Amino acid sequence: MAPSPTQLSPQEATRQRWMGVLSRAQGTELLIHEAALRDVDYQLIRAPEIGMTLVRGRMGASGAPFNLGEMTVTRCVVRLADGRTGYSYLAGRDKRSAELAALADAHLQGPHQQQWLTQLIEPLSAVQIERRARQQADTAATRVEFFTLVRGDNQ
């Protein structure tokens, strides 16, 4: 029996994690690994291209879905000489990072997966966790607590 859409195999969960980390990489974070990522024969199946995607939201994360708006994305598909195919979808308009993310996805599917996880994904993940904690701290500093006073003569 095939797993339900909510049950991922360990391989699918691992790939989903690294794809998420690659999609959230910013600016020069992937560029420092460019030489290692490009050190292989590959072809562009779908050259990096910029487009739009519809973003949906839910009120309170549980309400009815609604169309929030559109956002710019860049996508790319590469195939290594050994046949592994890498994909990427990144928020924004960074064609170079989209190609590097697709190359990283292809490399991570190969025999040196653990090396790529250790040298690329884990450091990127740590930076992203730190960035998120910093954003949450900045947001918490501006949080306002509201409360209601009850008048004593309403008894």
Side-chain angles (χ1 to χ4, degrees):
M1 177 174 10
S4 73
T6 58
Q7 295 175 332
L8 298 175
S9 71
Q11 295 84 7
E12 290 170 326
T14 300
R15 186 168 187 212
Q16 186 178 59
R17 180 178 176 274
W18 83 55
M19 292 291 284
V21 170
L22 290 170
S23 73
R24 289 184 297 272
Q26 293 183 351
T28 60
E29 293 173 352
L30 283 174
L31 296 180
I32 61 175
H33 301 281
E34 184 171 18
L37 290 168
R38 292 187 189 273
D39 190 25
V40 65
D41 290 332
Y42 70 96
Q43 69 182 67
L44 293 171
I45 301 300
R46 181 178 298 274
E49 60 185 357
I50 298 167
M52 301 290 283
T53 189
L54 181 65
V55 178
R56 296 184 50 106
R58 291 179 182 267
M59 289 299 289
S62 61
F66 64 94
N67 295 340
L68 184 62
E70 292 182 333
M71 69 180 277
T72 307
V73 295
T74 306
R75 68 179 177 178
C76 182
V77 182
V78 300
R79 181 170 296 132
L80 302 185
D82 65 6
R84 287 178 281 157
T85 304
Y87 300 84
S88 71
Y89 284 83
L90 307 179
R93 307 174 58 88
D94 190 346
K95 290 182 176 183
R96 190 172 178 189
S97 289
E99 186 174 339
L100 294 175
L103 282 166
D105 178 45
H107 282 294
L108 281 154
Q109 296 173 56
H112 303 291
Q113 181 183 76
Q114 193 56 49
Q115 174 188 346
W116 285 104
L117 286 170
T118 303
Q119 294 177 3
L120 177 67
I121 299 302
E122 295 309 325
L124 285 175
S125 179
V127 167
Q128 291 169 7
I129 289 168
E130 181 182 320
R131 184 183 308 124
R132 179 165 221 168
R134 207 171 35 250
Q135 285 175 327
Q136 288 175 340
D138 290 347
T139 302
T142 63
R143 184 177 180 145
V144 177
E145 295 290 337
F146 293 94
F147 61 92
T148 304
L149 293 175
V150 179
R151 291 181 52 174
D153 57 60
N154 287 348
Q155 298 175 357

